[in-house]
């Protein structure tokens, strides 16, 4: 189990460190938005132009079909990468729809059943900065579960309360043992996730659940 450390009552390091992290996160987020726009607008447009050139080129239909398939594959990868860097739905509809969409995309990509539900108060949303960090953390956790736990089903539940926002991610994979930090990959991923959440004043907990496991993320508003 991983939890955030307790600080003394007069210790303001947690607050200042969190604010510094959120400021850095905002700058990174802005930069990623710029890169995502370049990927979508410029490179995407160039690939579409190449597709039109292929259509008009003097070559047999089989060659055109192969080239178009490759272009479509690259366009799809650019779309996924652009969405990861700058999930427009996050600013348009909020964290819930962004995570719901992410679950659907990962379901299609990995063939794992991923279901998302939400409970609680919709009138107390998280700040835009926190939403951005949480979206990335949840995406990393789900990907980590798929890679290490090898589940067939993942259930994601968000609980929004006035003072706290919680994400519960349950899977039917190989259990807590699959996420052992003795494995270098697991250790690196857990450290990255834990670090991201810790600076958001959040905690991360991993527990056994039946034959699988449950990962809980709690964020104090």
């Amino acid at each position: 189990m991983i939890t955030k450390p307790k600080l003394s009552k007069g210790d303001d390091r947690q607050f200042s460190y969190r604010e510094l992290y959120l400021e850095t996160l905002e700058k990174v987020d802005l930069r990623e938005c710029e890169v995502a726009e370049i990927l979508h607008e410029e490179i995407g447009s160039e690939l579409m132009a190449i597709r039109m050139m292929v259509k008009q080129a003097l070559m047999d239909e089989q060659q055109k079909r192969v080239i178009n398939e490759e272009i479509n594959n690259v366009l799809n990868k650019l779309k996924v990468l652009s969405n990861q860097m700058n999930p427009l739905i996050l600013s348009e509809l909020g964290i819930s729809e962004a995570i719901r969409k992410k679950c659907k995309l990962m379901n299609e990509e990995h063939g794992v059943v991923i279901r998302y539900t939400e409970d609680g108060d919709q009138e107390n949303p998280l700040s835009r900065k926190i939403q951005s960090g949480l979206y990335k953390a949840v995406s990393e956790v789900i990907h980590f579960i798929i890679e290490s736990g090898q589940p067939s089903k993942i259930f994601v539940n968000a609980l929004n309360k006035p003072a706290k926002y919680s994400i519960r991610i349950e899977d039917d994979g190989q259990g807590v043992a699959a996420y052992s930090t003795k494995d270098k990959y697991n250790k690196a991923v857990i450290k990255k996730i834990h670090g991201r959440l810790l600076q958001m004043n959040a905690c991360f907990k991993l527990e056994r659940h039946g034959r699988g496991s449950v990962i809980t993320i709690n964020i104090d508003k």
Side-chain angles (χ1 to χ4, degrees):
M1 184 175 76
I2 304 174
T3 56
K4 57 186 178 182
K6 293 182 179 179
L7 299 177
S8 62
K9 210 169 186 180
D11 195 337
D12 63 353
R13 286 177 297 170
Q14 185 178 14
F15 174 78
S16 60
Y17 198 28
R18 179 172 181 256
E19 290 302 305
L20 176 62
Y21 173 78
L22 293 177
E23 184 179 340
T24 303
L25 182 65
E26 183 177 25
K27 291 179 180 178
V28 171
D29 193 41
L30 288 172
R31 179 56 184 159
E32 287 188 345
C33 288
E34 292 173 2
V35 174
E37 188 173 343
I38 291 171
L39 288 173
H40 180 70
E41 296 296 334
E42 297 184 19
I43 300 178
S45 297
E46 289 178 11
L47 285 170
M48 292 297 290
I50 292 172
R51 177 191 278 174
M52 291 301 297
M53 291 171 63
V54 170
K55 185 177 181 180
Q56 299 170 5
L58 297 176
M59 60 178 70
D60 62 55
E61 291 302 316
Q62 178 62 25
Q63 288 178 309
K64 288 184 179 181
R65 187 158 46 248
V66 170
I67 294 173
N68 278 325
E69 286 176 359
E70 289 300 318
I71 291 174
N72 287 336
N73 287 337
V74 174
L75 284 170
N76 288 333
K77 289 178 181 178
L78 283 176
K79 182 179 178 181
V80 171
L81 183 58
S82 177
N83 185 67
Q84 288 174 341
M85 288 183 167
N86 180 29
L88 297 176
I89 196 170
L90 192 60
S91 57
E92 293 172 356
L93 299 177
I95 186 68
S96 295
E97 289 305 313
I99 294 178
R100 191 189 307 277
K101 182 176 181 180
K102 185 65 177 179
C103 288
K104 183 179 179 181
L105 288 172
M106 296 186 82
N107 187 337
E108 295 171 354
E109 182 180 354
H110 299 282
V112 176
V113 176
I114 307 176
R115 295 176 183 168
Y116 175 81
T117 56
E118 184 180 30
D119 300 300
D121 186 3
Q122 303 301 312
E123 300 302 319
N124 291 278
L126 295 166
S127 70
R128 177 66 179 84
K129 296 176 184 178
I130 295 291
Q131 286 187 42
S132 178
L134 180 61
Y135 172 80
K136 292 175 182 178
V138 170
S139 300
E140 289 166 358
V141 168
I142 295 175
H143 188 268
F144 174 58
I145 290 172
I146 293 172
E147 289 293 315
S148 296
Q150 299 180 351
S152 61
K153 296 178 182 179
I154 298 175
F155 299 96
V156 182
N157 176 258
L159 179 59
N160 189 11
K161 294 183 177 181
K164 181 179 289 187
Y165 190 95
S166 301
I167 294 279
R168 186 178 187 273
I169 305 172
E170 176 186 335
D171 70 82
D172 64 351
Q174 298 179 11
V176 175
Y179 310 123
S180 171
T181 52
K182 291 181 180 179
D183 181 277
K184 290 183 178 180
Y185 170 76
N186 289 353
K187 185 176 181 179
V189 174
I190 289 176
K191 183 177 180 181
K192 179 181 178 183
I193 294 170
H194 182 219
R196 183 190 292 279
L197 292 170
L198 187 64
Q199 311 316 323
M200 295 163 57
N201 198 29
C203 62
F204 171 91
K205 184 168 64 174
L206 170 62
E207 299 175 299
R208 181 185 299 278
H209 182 77
R211 62 183 292 268
S213 62
V214 171
I215 290 176
T216 306
I217 298 171
N218 291 311
I219 296 181
D220 295 327
K221 294 183 178 178

